[in-house]
Amino acid sequence: MELIFEKSQAGRRAGRVPSHGLPVPEVPAELRRAQQPRLPELAENEIVRHFTNLADRNFGIDTGFYPLGSCTMKYNPRVNERVAGLPGFVNLHPHQEDEGAQGALELMWELQQILAEVAGLPAVTLQPAAGSQGELTGLMLMRAYFADRGEGERRDTIITADTAHGTNPASVTMAGYKLEKVATTDRGNLDLDDLRAKVNERTAGLMLTNPSTLGLFDEGIVEVAEIFHSQGALLYYDGANLNAVVGISRPGDMGFDIVHYNLHKTFSQPHGCGGPGAGPVAVREALEPYLPSPQVVRDGDTFRLDHERPKSIGRVRGFAGPFGVFVRSYAYMRAYGPDLRAMSETAVLNANYVLARLKDVYELPYDRLCMHEFVLSARGLKKEHGVTALDVAKRLMDYGIHPPTIYFPLVVPEALMIEPTETESKERLDHFVEAMTRIAAEAADDPALLKDAPHERPVRRLDEVKAAKEPIVKYAFGERPLVEAEA
Amino acid sequence: MAAEESYPEGLKYHPEHDWARIEGDEAVLGITWWAQDALGELVHFEAPAAGGTTTKDAPYGEVESVKAVSDVIAPLSGEILEVNQKAVDEPEIVNDDPYGEGWLVRIRLSNPSEADALLDVDAYRAVVAGQ
Amino acid sequence: MTAGYLSLTERDRDEMLAAIGVSSMEELFAQIPASVRFDRELDVPPALSEAELVRHLEELAAKNAHTGSELSFLGAGIYDHYVPAIVDYVLQRGEFLTAYTPYQPEMSQGVLQAIFEYQTVICELTGMDVSNASGYDGFTVAADACLIATRHTGRSKIVLTETLNPQLRQVVKTYAPGFGLEVVEVRHVGGTTDPAQLAAAAQDAAAVIFPQPNFFGCLEPAPDLAAAAKEAGALAVAHVDLTSLGVLEAPGAYGCDMAIGEGQSAGNYQSYGGPHYGFLAARTEFIRRMPGRIVGETTDLNGDRVFVLTLQTREQHILREKATSNITTNQTLLALGGLVTLSWLGPAGLRELGETCMSLVGYARERIGLPAAFERPAFKELAVRTPIPAREVVRRARERGVHPGYALGRDVEGMDDVLLIALTEKRTPAEVDRLADVLAEVC
């Protein structure tokens, strides 16, 4: 398919800009643009066709089943788009005086209350732009908390699980901490002996997802919390897997002191091919003073942004946060009410059902009931037929299904991490089981079919080595003429 | 075309999958077959500058494939005399010939006795077997 | 199972429990220790049907003073530019809206190609060689640039001009301690930055970040600022406005190493501050240090041209603790809105957009009976001096249905009497006349 630049014709245009016949002040010569940028030049109908054709080459949740582990690809309700697009929200400027933004501030405050109830922690910031930024914020909060207690120099290490999502160690580095890893047992829990050996007076805290990236609830979580708290350290909860436990178990009650949420996972903000998201953070009362500034607060019947926060870590993102995401997540929560619990229960039911039907078809590294996701291994297929998790993933595409997460977590070789989510019907789950079962059989009978998959997509398998070795990251206009100034 | 698995006699090995060929008071360094196999086809070698130094057990550069970046660990300390430009220009040579044309740097040893701490072929094979 | 958006029936559930080999849902949760089980109902507002939900949200929205209910000249980083109707169409396509990050390229050629086109557009506008697929916003990309600069130069000092958006400076200062960075600021002189002062501050700096145009609406001597940074061995980073790059020079053309900024002006609604997209572009030599996604071109088994996320080894999910950043989810959908808008404008439209904004500033200078605060050319914002505190001017003007602009004293000491008036292409001469009348009344 052609690039939009390859469809351009000099002189074509789509939009018109208002002009009022006013004189245009001159830009000083040394600041003036010398060469017009080579932006696309198409009429509007062709622009629409271009993006429509691109959409046709893309697969979303709206297209079909999307069991990407740890991403929570649940249905994104359309009503959320309608309400997020209300003029009173989209045409509201962030610098509007608080009196003129009461609807927005009230929505944010209500969202904070619901998030606090879900986490079991009282104080919430909505500012972070994504889960990763929420993690970084959480670590900065830890640093501020300990610095205020004169323990900042001493506590220089964060402990993560060896199954941790890659953002955890990266966040640790960005926050200026050292990293220590703790092992996972054969049952999928943190190794308590290894933990006791590693937690000491230099430990600032733990970063953990529960359930873990293996989809397993840590049965020793109460002891884990005790080990850290007894050393005066804190516990940080990575909320990527929160969809498993809403209304069932609260991170605050598990012993976590800081929690981040992924509104684009648990609370249906559409993934948008890679964003936007939002990563609000909830904390225990003792950490509240350090939350980013400004905070949304309530004074009787009115709401305002509080900038008077002397102990705050500062600002991590512009304005009060990604407000459009808040509208969608708040609307989503209001559609469920207290039945958010049923959302998580069904997520766990759906995952266990698929697990029960696939555990004899692929290798199951941890033979336990799972939570909202589980991990299989294609190691057997690799050993016997030379077929890898990657090949299985590519072949699934031919069945009209988006592959699950592959090669993660790192502790499982040839990993396939499957998270169906609660919005899928039983028929969808059965279709997925059938596809995976047939693929396992194809691996034995016709491995070449899998090695060359996919066969039914707009493109075949790609040369990723070439892309990395000779990076071409923008269109080379080549012989195309420069845009001429319009007569 | 990646090489067959091999771990030549006559080389010294570091448990982080690096090798050293000691030639008098100099040594040639590189990564082992196991390392290049784990990484996959290399797309980039972030090389140090000649004139710099290597420190035993510390990284002196990076190799990168599509799926991973890895530090290259120095088995021995010394002054870098030469960097293999071919590995920089065509990193896949490290996959094809990890012990020959895929060498990475040549150093003048600053502490030759460090070689005693390195592994011989059998000890390194044991490390590989445990991976 | 009638809650929310669930698809299962009671019968489904019973069949599934049987297949799993348990007799009740409760058994699925036995792995959770009893002491951490949540035993009561969530204390959250009750569920609403869809119609009730819409009404509730409409009531909340109605409590906001938006551009439909109040004539507004607010800017200061977020602007009321026109978002073309086709942006709504493209961004609501489910294949874009509901897809994940394109890690499986055979399922995602649509968005991969779109990001490649976006990267191209950003490079064209800024005069750079490589752009990533977007950052969180126009302020956090400054933190990203600082990290690139410190790793590249080995230096740990960052120089910011006071004329940068205050929120950008706050964000950089929040990130700085974790990166081990010292942040130094250069005061403004007459509303812009003095290159000699910048040169002095830039000694031993990893990077200098300056805006064009700046937070006060003024045009900076950008080429001189870039030169001052380079003289001192620091990287020159320009924080720019995409809507200005049809009339103002590209940073790459006057020696900058990186160009960053807030993309909202091109293709996103104001939406009370987000979500929007930050852009980050740089010279080729920095490509391996760039955080975030980058899409590259390659071929598939049939030899056809295809697109794929490349240099992913820089990203958190492979490099983990050595990553250049922890960014995962970024702002792709909003960046797509930017691409659609810039395509819709084309080079002629973008130039006209800049000219219309500048012409309205010129008109406002004449009509508004308040003196300009700074003797400098402007792009789309005019700072004027008010005889009473600007915050009071805002309050009184709003009572007359006009929001006259941003009171700079909210952020900048000594500027309680400066009002920043934004003039985008959505403003008209008649609206400027109204503003002038209201200001004459209230001042």
Side-chain angles (χ1 to χ4, degrees):
Chain A
M1 183 171 153
E2 280 191 318
L3 290 166
I4 197 168
F5 313 101
E6 292 166 330
K7 299 176 181 178
S8 295
Q9 291 291 328
R12 288 254 167 78
R13 59 186 298 176
R16 303 267 153 199
V17 176
S19 157
H20 307 289
L22 298 167
V24 182
E26 247 198 15
V27 176
E30 72 278 10
L31 305 181
R32 195 181 302 155
R33 183 129 195 150
Q35 203 159 277
Q36 286 293 282
R38 289 164 297 188
L39 295 178
E41 295 180 83
L42 287 79
E44 184 168 308
N45 66 330
E46 289 299 335
I47 298 177
V48 169
R49 284 188 181 136
H50 179 76
F51 287 101
T52 303
N53 294 155
L54 286 178
D56 288 342
R57 292 159 75 83
N58 224 56
F59 185 100
I61 299 170
D62 282 0
T63 316
F65 189 48
Y66 214 123
L68 262 187
S70 252
C71 299
T72 313
M73 304 300 287
K74 62 173 73 185
Y75 169 62
N76 304 129
R78 273 316 177 281
V79 65
N80 297 349
E81 297 306 308
R82 179 184 285 186
V83 296
L86 289 169
F89 294 137
V90 292
N91 291 327
L92 178 65
H93 192 289
H95 286 314
Q96 179 58 264
E97 321 304 295
D98 288 348
E99 311 86 79
Q102 285 298 294
L105 293 168
E106 181 179 339
L107 187 152
M108 291 174 65
W109 192 86
E110 291 290 343
L111 177 64
Q112 287 175 182
Q113 301 307 111
I114 297 172
L115 289 172
E117 171 71 351
V118 167
L121 292 170
V124 177
T125 174
L126 299 180
Q127 210 182 84
S132 314
Q133 207 187 40
E135 288 178 24
L136 185 60
T137 302
L139 292 170
M140 290 185 194
L141 291 170
M142 273 197 202
R143 183 148 37 77
Y145 172 87
F146 287 120
D148 210 17
R149 278 152 184 73
E151 296 171 32
E153 292 281 317
R154 190 182 106 205
R155 295 187 186 271
D156 61 3
T157 306
I158 296 287
I159 297 186
T160 68
D162 56 4
T163 55
H165 194 261
T167 52
N168 289 179
S171 302
V172 167
T173 305
M174 286 180 80
Y177 277 114
K178 294 201 285 231
L179 181 73
E180 178 86 73
K181 285 186 223 179
V182 66
T184 301
T185 65
D186 290 338
R187 187 140 171 91
N189 300 317
L190 288 186
D191 184 331
L192 292 176
D193 293 327
D194 195 24
L195 201 57
R196 282 192 198 97
K198 289 175 173 158
V199 179
N200 53 43
E201 72 282 351
R202 299 200 70 96
T203 308
L206 169 73
M207 279 186 92
L208 187 69
T209 300
N210 192 24
S212 68
T213 56
L214 296 166
L216 303 171
F217 195 93
D218 196 311
E219 293 157 321
I221 190 62
V222 175
E223 291 94 293
V224 170
E226 169 55 28
I227 290 170
F228 281 86
H229 286 149
S230 70
Q231 292 280 358
L234 296 172
L235 280 87
Y236 176 95
Y237 181 85
D238 177 335
N241 291 331
L242 190 63
N243 205 48
V245 293
V246 175
I248 296 167
S249 180
R250 306 195 303 178
D253 299 335
M254 293 176 207
F256 289 92
D257 305 292
I258 311 172
V259 172
H260 94 257
Y261 313 79
N262 296 65
L263 296 189
H264 47 294
K265 295 187 182 186
T266 319
F267 297 111
S268 91
Q269 161 64 30
H271 285 84
C273 296
V281 172
V283 298
R284 228 167 261 300
E285 197 61 51
L287 288 148
E288 192 281 339
Y290 313 104
L291 289 177
S293 178
Q295 271 293 97
V296 178
V297 298
R298 178 176 200 161
D299 290 330
D301 285 335
T302 60
F303 303 87
R304 63 185 178 84
L305 289 171
D306 176 24
H307 296 264
E308 298 306 309
R309 300 187 52 80
K311 292 195 172 188
S312 163
I313 58 172
R315 174 183 281 289
V316 297
R317 189 210 177 275
F319 312 103
F323 178 76
V325 178
F326 306 153
V327 178
R328 292 175 176 87
S329 289
Y330 175 68
Y332 189 73
M333 291 160 168
R334 292 308 312 265
Y336 273 97
D339 267 332
L340 282 169
R341 183 196 172 96
M343 171 187 84
S344 287
E345 287 178 343
T346 309
V348 173
L349 173 66
N350 279 4
N352 274 290
Y353 175 66
V354 179
L355 168 60
R357 295 198 54 199
L358 284 179
K359 68 186 209 182
D360 298 320
V361 185
Y362 293 80
E363 246 181 63
L364 179 65
Y366 299 88
D367 198 353
R368 270 174 66 174
L369 289 173
C370 64
M371 297 290 289
H372 66 313
E373 68 187 3
F374 62 94
V375 181
L376 297 173
S377 172
R379 180 166 53 178
L381 293 184
K382 185 172 179 188
K383 245 193 326 230
E384 286 165 53
H385 310 295
V387 162
T388 65
L390 181 78
D391 300 324
V392 171
K394 300 301 182 190
R395 180 63 180 150
L396 253 178
M397 298 177 185
D398 292 333
Y399 286 84
I401 298 172
H402 192 286
T405 304
I406 51 176
Y407 298 110
F408 185 79
L410 301 172
V411 299
V412 175
E414 301 301 324
L416 295 154
M417 191 203 293
I418 295 163
E419 181 184 357
T421 84
E422 73 284 2
T423 52
E424 298 299 331
S425 68
K426 184 168 169 298
E427 298 77 68
R428 278 285 170 187
L429 303 180
D430 289 336
H431 177 251
F432 174 66
V433 167
E434 276 144 38
M436 289 288 283
T437 306
R438 285 179 62 177
I439 290 171
E442 285 171 352
D445 301 333
D446 189 0
L449 186 64
L450 274 58
K451 305 298 284 177
D452 281 345
H455 306 276
E456 311 290 332
R457 294 299 305 164
V459 301
R460 303 292 305 283
R461 229 186 261 204
L462 283 66
D463 188 345
E464 304 200 21
V465 168
K466 182 158 93 172
K469 263 182 111 151
E470 314 155 8
I472 300 171
V473 294
K474 62 181 175 116
Y475 177 64
F477 287 89
E479 269 114 59
R480 284 191 63 80
L482 296 175
V483 171
E484 279 133 32
E486 238 190 24
Chain B
M1 172 85 79
E4 293 281 311
E5 183 167 11
S6 74
Y7 307 106
E9 302 274 346
L11 298 183
K12 300 296 267 181
Y13 294 86
H14 187 286
E16 296 272 14
H17 311 292
D18 311 87
W19 56 264
R21 184 169 62 241
I22 299 173
E23 299 171 348
D25 66 343
E26 294 180 4
V28 179
L29 310 180
I31 64 173
T32 68
W33 184 93
W34 191 93
Q36 66 79 32
D37 182 64
L39 284 163
E41 186 173 340
L42 294 195
V43 299
H44 186 69
F45 169 39
E46 190 72 26
T53 56
T54 63
T55 304
K56 182 179 177 333
D57 302 330
Y60 65 88
E62 281 178 355
V63 284
E64 183 184 317
S65 68
V66 169
K67 59 178 185 179
V69 169
S70 186
D71 283 333
V72 185
I73 303 296
L76 300 164
S77 309
E79 181 201 339
I80 300 172
L81 300 175
E82 197 187 341
V83 169
N84 183 0
Q85 192 58 35
K86 187 152 195 197
V88 172
D89 295 337
E90 301 165 27
E92 66 274 20
I93 192 72
V94 178
N95 300 101
D96 296 345
D97 190 9
Y99 308 105
E101 288 201 74
W103 64 277
L104 297 182
V105 296
R106 172 182 285 277
I107 62 171
R108 174 172 295 115
L109 297 173
S110 57
N111 188 353
S113 65
E114 285 172 339
D116 301 337
L118 295 178
L119 307 171
D120 66 8
V121 166
D122 295 324
Y124 179 66
R125 277 185 185 280
V127 169
V128 165
Q131 289 294 314
Chain C
M1 318 231 73
T2 55
Y5 303 99
L6 305 177
S7 303
L8 297 186
T9 63
E10 292 290 316
R11 186 171 126 180
D12 289 332
R13 191 185 64 180
D14 294 338
E15 284 177 20
M16 291 163 74
L17 289 171
I20 295 166
V22 296
S23 48
S24 70
M25 293 283 283
E26 186 46 43
E27 280 182 59
L28 297 177
F29 298 100
Q31 58 188 294
I32 301 180
S35 61
V36 300
R37 287 295 299 271
F38 185 69
D39 288 331
R40 58 171 173 80
E41 201 175 64
L42 282 169
D43 181 13
V44 296
L48 300 173
S49 67
E50 186 166 314
E52 293 168 319
L53 183 61
V54 171
R55 187 158 94 194
H56 173 55
L57 272 292
E58 285 173 343
E59 282 166 4
L60 286 174
K63 294 185 192 176
N64 297 325
H66 56 94
T67 61
S69 64
E70 182 183 71
L71 173 59
S72 173
F73 294 85
L74 272 173
I78 296 293
Y79 301 92
D80 182 23
H81 283 285
Y82 180 67
V83 177
I86 61 170
V87 171
D88 296 334
Y89 161 70
V90 174
L91 268 49
Q92 286 296 308
R93 281 293 296 239
E95 301 92 334
F96 289 134
L97 182 69
T98 69
Y100 193 67
T101 308
Y103 289 122
Q104 294 288 359
E106 301 90 340
M107 305 297 269
S108 331
Q109 283 301 295
V111 71
L112 285 165
Q113 180 173 330
I115 296 173
F116 185 84
E117 293 172 354
Y118 162 84
Q119 289 170 182
T120 303
V121 162
I122 296 294
C123 287
E124 261 305 285
L125 290 173
T126 59
M128 291 290 160
D129 305 317
V130 52
S131 163
N132 71 7
S134 70
Y136 298 137
D137 68 3
F139 308 139
T140 52
V141 286
D144 293 334
C146 291
L147 190 56
I148 295 173
T150 187
R151 294 237 173 105
H152 182 81
T153 63
R155 298 175 171 186
S156 58
K157 182 166 93 169
I158 298 293
V159 176
L160 306 178
T161 68
E162 191 193 8
T163 55
L164 283 163
N165 190 304
Q167 295 195 20
L168 180 155
R169 292 184 278 130
Q170 287 165 19
V171 168
V172 169
K173 289 178 196 168
T174 303
Y175 274 71
F179 298 163
L181 297 176
E182 174 207 352
V183 179
V184 160
E185 292 185 331
V186 177
R187 310 300 308 264
H188 81 93
V189 175
T192 57
T193 307
D194 173 6
Q197 287 185 19
L198 189 82
Q203 297 308 311
D204 303 318
V208 170
I209 307 181
F210 62 87
Q212 181 70 307
N214 72 22
F215 185 62
F216 308 146
C218 302
L219 295 186
E220 296 266 8
D224 297 332
L225 299 180
K230 308 296 293 172
E231 261 300 293
L235 299 186
V237 180
H239 187 268
V240 294
D241 181 340
L242 293 176
T243 60
S244 74
L245 293 173
V247 296
L248 295 184
E249 186 57 288
Y254 55 84
C256 290
D257 297 287
M258 289 188 251
I260 60 177
E262 170 55 64
Q264 179 268 329
S265 288
N268 299 167
Y269 295 102
Q270 297 178 99
S271 200
Y272 203 53
H276 301 133
Y277 64 104
F279 59 89
L280 171 64
R283 301 220 169 281
T284 302
E285 67 207 87
F286 302 103
I287 191 172
R288 286 195 142 77
R289 296 200 195 280
M290 299 253 307
R293 307 267 136 55
I294 296 183
V295 172
E297 184 186 308
T298 184
T299 50
D300 74 350
L301 281 182
N302 287 344
D304 294 328
R305 176 181 66 189
V306 293
F307 300 96
V308 67
L309 289 179
T310 191
L311 301 177
Q312 284 187 78
T313 52
R314 303 159 303 109
E315 294 185 56
Q316 56 75 27
H317 65 284
I318 293 180
L319 262 183
R320 298 173 70 93
E321 58 262 40
K322 299 184 67 167
T324 50
S325 160
N326 68 349
I327 188 170
T328 323
T329 295
N330 49 301
Q331 307 292 121
T332 303
L333 197 68
L334 288 313
L336 182 58
L339 170 65
V340 173
T341 298
L342 291 163
S343 302
W344 185 81
L345 287 169
L350 185 64
R351 192 191 68 240
E352 288 164 10
L353 177 58
E355 290 171 347
T356 296
C357 291
M358 293 188 72
S359 70
L360 284 166
V361 168
Y363 183 69
R365 276 189 206 278
E366 289 171 20
R367 283 290 284 113
I368 290 170
L370 297 170
F374 308 109
E375 297 304 314
R376 298 286 307 177
F379 174 59
K380 70 190 188 193
E381 288 183 283
L382 176 65
V384 297
R385 289 221 181 263
T386 55
I388 60 174
R391 297 202 80 153
E392 181 60 17
V393 173
V394 169
R395 199 189 62 74
R396 294 183 190 179
R398 290 198 64 233
E399 285 171 354
R400 290 159 169 78
V402 175
H403 196 311
Y406 189 72
L408 280 179
R410 283 168 73 166
D411 302 300
V412 189
E413 256 187 60
M415 291 209 191
D416 287 341
D417 63 339
V418 185
L419 179 71
L420 186 66
I421 302 167
L423 297 140
T424 70
E425 83 287 7
K426 282 179 72 178
R427 303 285 74 80
T428 66
E431 286 176 346
V432 176
D433 291 341
R434 171 134 178 72
L435 172 67
D437 293 343
V438 167
L439 286 175
E441 282 170 40
V442 308
C443 280

